[in-house]
């Protein structure tokens, strides 16, 4: 009897399999199993528009429910994969960035770097944590009853987001953090939460042994994290913040100059870099040539293509605050000049790439390319007179607009000079009896 039952079951199985046929295939899954695929893209605003709309709540570290039917669409720039972001991730579009707090672990599983997300905002809470803009839920302090921005539940989050396409980590690249604007309130407000890179910094306490975030009582913890300072930077302005639960919490801080990429958040007026991975700390590349003009004119020389007029004894001079400064305005008089600040010989015969960058400011002149020029020569000899036939002009990506004393960083690719052993770069200042600019130059770098 048992044999008959087994045989019957076997035959039924064969019959069912034959009914499916050879063309039977697994069902296709065309939609992601995460989020709410019924959300349609309507009323999309930028992150900047969202933050501007709730600027009062964010700046006061307050909280408010979003009651309008609005959406944002942005890319994931940071997640919790290595534990330094906890129950939250960073979002960024072309206008700004914001953090999203969700009471769920392993968000990185479906929110990898470069994943585009559409978020339906109505019903979510927005606010500021130390003035850092966040989307989330309500957190109530059990002792005081005060409410603030916290994490939304997983169920709420699932109803409010939709994944778009597949992740592309190259969509949003980090922008360079501008050290000169570190204390600029507008710069802080516009850029907090973004993926950024700071270059050429050193950890204050690094000795090759001290780790980022020990949990042994050796350092002060704030909310289970350690703030690490940098050399020559006030810790009230900028720190690296690492959770004791981060995968790299007990990794030694690197010594020497490093470049750091991370999510640049804020706590009130302090920048806090949230590192995502140890791979995001790299040794600062050694520059082929660097002259900061911090202590003088270095190995640059001044060559006057025209003899200085009577009443003017120099055009270029060193200023400890502003680097090398050129002006032909003295005693309320403008003089006609053509004065060059010329680099030493640069042997670029073995370089594969070379980019010139420098910081400069200018006022009272006709403008870059008119009376101010950056030149190069491959035939000039040190200390020789200027022969214009030996020089060509470099086209910078940006010039100061001449309306203020703000320094701008200019760059130009030197690819046409690669392979040449006799290169000179020069900053050429010209003036007339009616127009005489003031030009300040510093931090000359060739990488």
């Amino acid at each position: 009897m048992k044999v008959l039952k087994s045989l019957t079951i076997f035959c039924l199985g064969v019959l069912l399999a034959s009914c499916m046929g050879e063309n039977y295939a697994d069902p296709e899954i065309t939609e992601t199993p995460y989020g709410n695929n019924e959300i349609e893209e309507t009323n999309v605003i930028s992150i900047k528009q969202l933050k501007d709309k709730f600027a009062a709540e964010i700046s006061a570290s307050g909280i408010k429910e979003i009651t309008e039917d609005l959406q944002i669409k942005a890319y994931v720039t940071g997640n919790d994969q290595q534990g330094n972001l906890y129950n939250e991730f960073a979002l960024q579009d072309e206008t700004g960035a914001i953090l999203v707090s969700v009471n769920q672990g392993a968000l990185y599983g479906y929110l990898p770097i470069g994943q585009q997300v559409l978020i339906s905002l109505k019903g979510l809470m927005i606010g500021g944590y130390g003035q850092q803009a966040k989307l989330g839920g309500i957190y109530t302090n059990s002792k005081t009853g005060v409410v603030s921005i916290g994490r939304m539940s997983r169920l709420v989050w699932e109803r409010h987001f939709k994944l778009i396409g597949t992740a592309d980590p190259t969509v949003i690249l980090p922008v360079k953090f501008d050290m000169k604007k570190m204390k600029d309130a507008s710069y802080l407000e516009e850029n907090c939460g973004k993926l950024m890179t700071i270059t050429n910094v050193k950890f204050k306490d690094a000795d090759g042994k001290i780790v980022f975030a020990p949990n042994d009582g050796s350092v002060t913890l704030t909310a289970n994290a350690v703030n690490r300072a940098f050399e020559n930077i006030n810790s009230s302005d900028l720190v690296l913040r690492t959770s004791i639960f981060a995968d790299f919490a007990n990794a030694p801080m690197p010594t020497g100059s490093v470049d750091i990429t991370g999510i640049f958040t804020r706590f009130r007026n302090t920048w806090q870099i949230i590192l995502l991975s140890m791979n995001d700390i790299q040794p600062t590349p050694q520059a082929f040539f660097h002259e900061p003009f911090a202590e003088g004119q270095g190995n640059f020389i001044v060559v006057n293509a025209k003899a200085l007029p009577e009443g003017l004894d120099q055009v270029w001079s060193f200023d400890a605050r502003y680097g090398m400064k050129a002006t032909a305005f003295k005693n309320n008089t403008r003089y006609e000049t053509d004065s060059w600040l010329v680099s030493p010989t640069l042997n670029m015969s073995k370089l594969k790439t070379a980019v010139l960058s420098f910081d400069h400011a200018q006022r009272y002149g006709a403008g870059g390319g008119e009376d101010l020029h950056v030149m190069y020569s491959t035939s000039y000899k040190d200390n020789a007179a200027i022969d214009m036939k030996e020089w060509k002009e470099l086209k910078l990506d940006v010039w100061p607009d001449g309306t203020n004393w703000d320094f701008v960083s200019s760059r130009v690719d030197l690819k046409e000079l690669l392979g040449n052993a006799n290169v000179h770069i020069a900053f050429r200042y010209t003036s007339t009896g009616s127009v005489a600019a003031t030009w300040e130059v510093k931090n000359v770098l060739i990488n």
Side-chain angles (χ1 to χ4, degrees):
M1 188 67 179
K2 290 183 179 180
V3 173
L4 180 60
K5 183 182 293 187
S6 298
L7 183 59
T8 301
I9 293 173
F10 171 76
C11 292
L12 284 172
V14 172
L15 179 61
L16 289 173
S18 65
C19 290
M20 292 178 180
E22 294 181 357
N23 295 326
Y24 175 77
D26 292 333
E28 292 186 6
I29 299 176
T30 58
E31 293 185 336
T32 173
Y34 301 102
N36 182 358
N37 290 303
E38 294 182 0
I39 297 176
E40 297 293 334
E41 187 174 325
T42 57
N43 300 325
V44 174
I45 63 172
S46 70
I47 289 179
K48 182 182 185 306
Q49 289 173 321
L50 175 63
K51 291 165 69 173
D52 287 347
K53 196 174 188 64
F54 296 93
E57 287 75 22
I58 294 170
S59 63
S61 293
I63 184 172
K64 190 171 184 178
E65 182 179 354
I66 302 172
T67 57
E68 294 182 67
D69 190 13
L70 302 172
Q71 298 173 343
I72 57 172
K73 185 169 67 171
Y75 290 92
V76 176
T77 55
N79 57 32
D80 59 352
Q81 185 163 10
Q82 294 202 21
N84 208 24
L85 281 173
Y86 178 66
N87 284 175
E88 64 184 7
F89 62 96
L91 274 182
Q92 186 172 324
D93 65 12
E94 64 276 6
T95 69
I98 195 167
L99 300 185
V100 183
S101 298
V102 183
N103 193 17
Q104 179 183 2
L107 292 167
Y108 67 89
Y110 62 92
L111 294 171
I113 305 299
Q115 175 65 59
Q116 192 174 32
V117 184
L118 179 67
I119 300 178
S120 176
L121 299 170
K122 186 176 182 180
L124 299 183
M125 308 301 294
I126 188 169
Y129 180 78
Q131 297 177 280
Q132 172 62 55
K134 289 190 177 187
L135 287 169
I138 299 174
Y139 170 76
T140 304
N141 188 306
S142 59
K143 295 182 179 179
T144 64
V146 174
V147 297
S148 59
I149 191 71
R151 307 180 190 109
M152 70 183 89
S153 72
R154 176 179 177 177
L155 293 177
V156 170
W157 170 237
E158 284 285 343
R159 295 196 301 268
H160 283 264
F161 82 94
K162 179 180 181 179
L163 302 181
I164 302 175
T166 57
D168 181 0
T170 66
V171 171
I172 294 186
L173 298 177
V175 297
K176 184 177 179 181
F177 179 75
D178 191 340
M179 295 282 285
K180 300 185 295 297
K181 295 183 178 179
M182 184 185 305
K183 297 183 180 182
D184 186 316
S186 296
Y187 184 73
L188 176 62
E189 183 177 339
E190 292 168 5
N191 292 279
C192 63
K194 281 187 178 180
L195 181 69
M196 305 178 80
T197 299
I198 190 170
T199 60
N200 198 25
V201 292
K202 294 182 179 180
F203 289 107
K204 184 176 181 180
D205 299 323
D207 63 358
K209 297 179 181 179
I210 296 177
V211 303
F212 286 98
N215 189 19
D216 58 5
S218 61
V219 292
T220 301
L221 300 181
T222 55
N224 292 317
V226 177
N227 293 332
R228 290 297 188 184
F230 298 97
E231 287 187 3
N232 303 316
I233 299 176
N234 195 310
S235 60
S236 64
D237 295 327
L238 181 141
V239 294
L240 182 97
R241 185 166 175 81
T242 308
S243 167
I244 60 173
F245 303 111
D247 291 355
F248 46 85
N250 292 305
M253 291 187 294
T255 58
S257 296
V258 294
D259 297 349
I260 303 174
T261 299
I263 305 300
F264 278 60
T265 64
R266 70 182 295 181
F267 187 76
R268 300 193 178 103
N269 293 323
T270 301
W271 287 97
Q272 295 184 331
I273 305 173
I274 308 299
L275 190 65
L276 300 175
S277 163
M278 280 298 294
N279 292 330
D280 293 329
I281 298 183
Q282 295 293 328
T284 299
Q286 294 300 307
F288 165 72
F289 177 79
H290 185 207
E291 177 50 70
F293 295 134
E295 298 179 354
Q297 68 185 54
N299 292 322
F300 279 71
I301 61 171
V302 175
V303 181
N304 292 306
K306 292 182 179 180
L308 293 179
E310 184 177 351
L312 189 67
D313 54 2
Q314 66 179 11
V315 173
W316 287 98
S317 62
F318 168 68
D319 189 301
R321 296 166 297 175
Y322 309 120
M324 290 300 292
K325 180 171 72 173
T327 184
F329 181 76
K330 183 179 180 181
N331 296 328
N332 293 321
T333 302
R334 297 172 180 83
Y335 295 91
E336 183 177 345
T337 65
D338 188 354
S339 188
W340 298 51
L341 181 66
V342 184
S343 77
T345 301
L346 304 171
N347 184 350
M348 298 173 59
S349 60
K350 296 182 179 180
L351 296 185
K352 295 182 179 179
T353 61
V355 174
L356 168 69
S357 62
F358 60 95
D359 300 331
H360 58 145
Q362 68 94 11
R363 289 194 74 179
Y364 310 122
E370 297 291 328
D371 52 358
L372 311 177
H373 312 266
V374 182
M375 314 293 291
Y376 76 89
S377 173
T378 57
S379 55
Y380 178 79
K381 304 299 181 184
D382 287 337
N383 298 306
I386 297 295
D387 181 351
M388 287 302 300
K389 294 191 296 295
E390 296 181 330
W391 294 86
K392 294 182 179 180
E393 187 162 2
L394 291 167
K395 303 297 183 182
L396 304 185
D397 62 342
V398 63
W399 280 90
D401 64 17
T403 62
N404 54 56
W405 290 112
D406 292 343
F407 277 82
V408 302
S409 296
S410 293
R411 291 165 53 90
V412 59
D413 198 323
L414 302 180
K415 57 185 176 182
E416 68 263 40
L417 303 178
L418 298 175
N420 201 297
N422 181 49
V423 175
H424 288 82
I425 304 295
F427 298 91
R428 181 191 180 195
Y429 174 94
T430 65
S431 60
T432 67
S434 57
V435 178
T438 297
W439 192 17
E440 299 165 346
V441 179
K442 62 182 179 179
N443 297 329
V444 179
L445 186 71
I446 298 178
N447 269 331

